[in-house]
DNA sequence: TCGATACCTGAGTATGTTAGTCAACATAAT
DNA sequence: ATTATGTTGACTAACATACTCAGGTATCGA
């Protein structure tokens, strides 16, 4: 049930940028604060930008900043974008359902569904603002 | 947040055996009911036996059966044995904690802890008996 | 006792994922 | 022009996943 380092790193970066309130931060800055290797962080920031969470400015005095207000950034969406569905099994995934031959009689499916609901509810009701303000 | 096929297959096998109430089932039988490839299932059953969940009898008329009552088999324990800790990150794992350099100031840790609690509570309060009796 | 039927053991393998690195390029400010 | 920055895409080492397969060993029934 692990979250990959990529997902963890992305959230760390979003938090670091959220704490900057509008100022741009360079990759080196963010790398320093989050302890994510700069070259790897670069990839992740680019992906977050393509997903619409970040804006960037090139050249000298360039850097990254949030593209949305922290309370508009839903953690569940971020994780799904970076790691795929939250559901523990394809047969109970809403965003990328996969059929299973046991489907009809499977005694596990309702159980997996319970777990998916529990995880999704937590992640989808939490925003970057909640994390930054320590309001969980 | 995926569960591996190994974990899913193990639970399918336990359910199949739980429905047999004391009768032995051959690998081929279980493979037929669960749709898990027989040679792969063999490995998994062996592991479940080593973990104390199953008993086996060799030779003709041989096969596998549960070693415990279904209400003594906790799903959380099975998953942990097969896939490692339930926690999404090492820094909030109870069974295999790993330190993190950000520890003190990390705004994510309390969030991961919430998720770990939620998952662990569900998995640790569910037994094989619950699954078989459809009582979730 | 013999042979068929099972479980047991350990090695091997194809594929994919993770967690990165690196080199070269494009753009903006001074 | 120079320099600091983001951008792009290729590359790689290590590991995990999801299996297969070849043989060995125990037990039952005839």
């Amino acid at each position: 049930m692990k979250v990959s380092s990529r997902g963890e790193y992305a959230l760390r970066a979003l938090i670091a940028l959220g704490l900057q309130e509008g100022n741009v931060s360079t990759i080196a800055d963010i790398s320093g604060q989050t302890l994510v290797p700069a070259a790897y962080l670069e990839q992740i920031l680019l992906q977050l930008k393509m997903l619409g969470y970040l804006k960037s400015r090139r050249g000298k005095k360039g850097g990254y900043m949030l593209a949305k207000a922290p309370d508009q950034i839903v953690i569940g969406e971020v994780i799904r974008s970076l790691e795929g569905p939250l559901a523990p099994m394809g047969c109970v995934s809403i965003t990328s359902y996969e059929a299973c031959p046991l489907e009809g009689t499977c005694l596990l499916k309702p159980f997996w569904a319970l777990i998916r609901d529990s995880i999704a509810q937590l992640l989808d009701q939490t925003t970057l603002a909640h994390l930054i303000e320590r309001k969980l």
Side-chain angles (χ1 to χ4, degrees), chain A residues 85 87-103 109:
Chain A
M89 295 293 300
C91 65
V92 295
S93 174
I94 291 178
T95 56
S96 70
Y97 167 76
E98 277 177 86
C100 161
L102 297 178
E103 201 89 41
K109 183 173 169 170

Side-chain angles (χ1 to χ4, degrees), chain A residues 5 13 15 22 40 46 62 67 74 92-93 96 107 114 116 118:
Chain A
S5 75
I15 289 173
Y40 192 28
L46 232 10
V74 177
V92 295
S93 174
S96 70
L107 297 175
L114 221 57
R116 187 251 304 149
S118 167

Side-chain angles (χ1 to χ4, degrees), chain A residues 45-64:
Chain A
L45 292 174
L46 232 10
Q47 190 177 357
L48 288 172
K49 183 192 170 185
M50 284 193 305
L51 292 168
Y53 297 112
L54 303 183
K55 289 185 293 193
S56 66
R57 197 162 62 204
R58 282 183 157 193
K60 211 162 184 175
K61 285 290 211 170
Y64 285 93

Side-chain angles (χ1 to χ4, degrees), chain A residues 16-25 55 57 64-68 70:
Chain A
L17 287 170
L19 292 171
Q20 291 307 308
E21 290 277 350
N23 296 323
V24 301
S25 305
K55 289 185 293 193
R57 197 162 62 204
Y64 285 93
M65 65 181 75
L66 290 185
K68 302 179 175 189

Side-chain angles (χ1 to χ4, degrees), chain A residues 1-12:
Chain A
M1 312 291 283
K2 284 269 178 290
V3 165
S4 72
S5 75
R6 198 180 181 86
E8 158 89 7
Y9 291 171
L11 294 182
R12 283 193 203 170

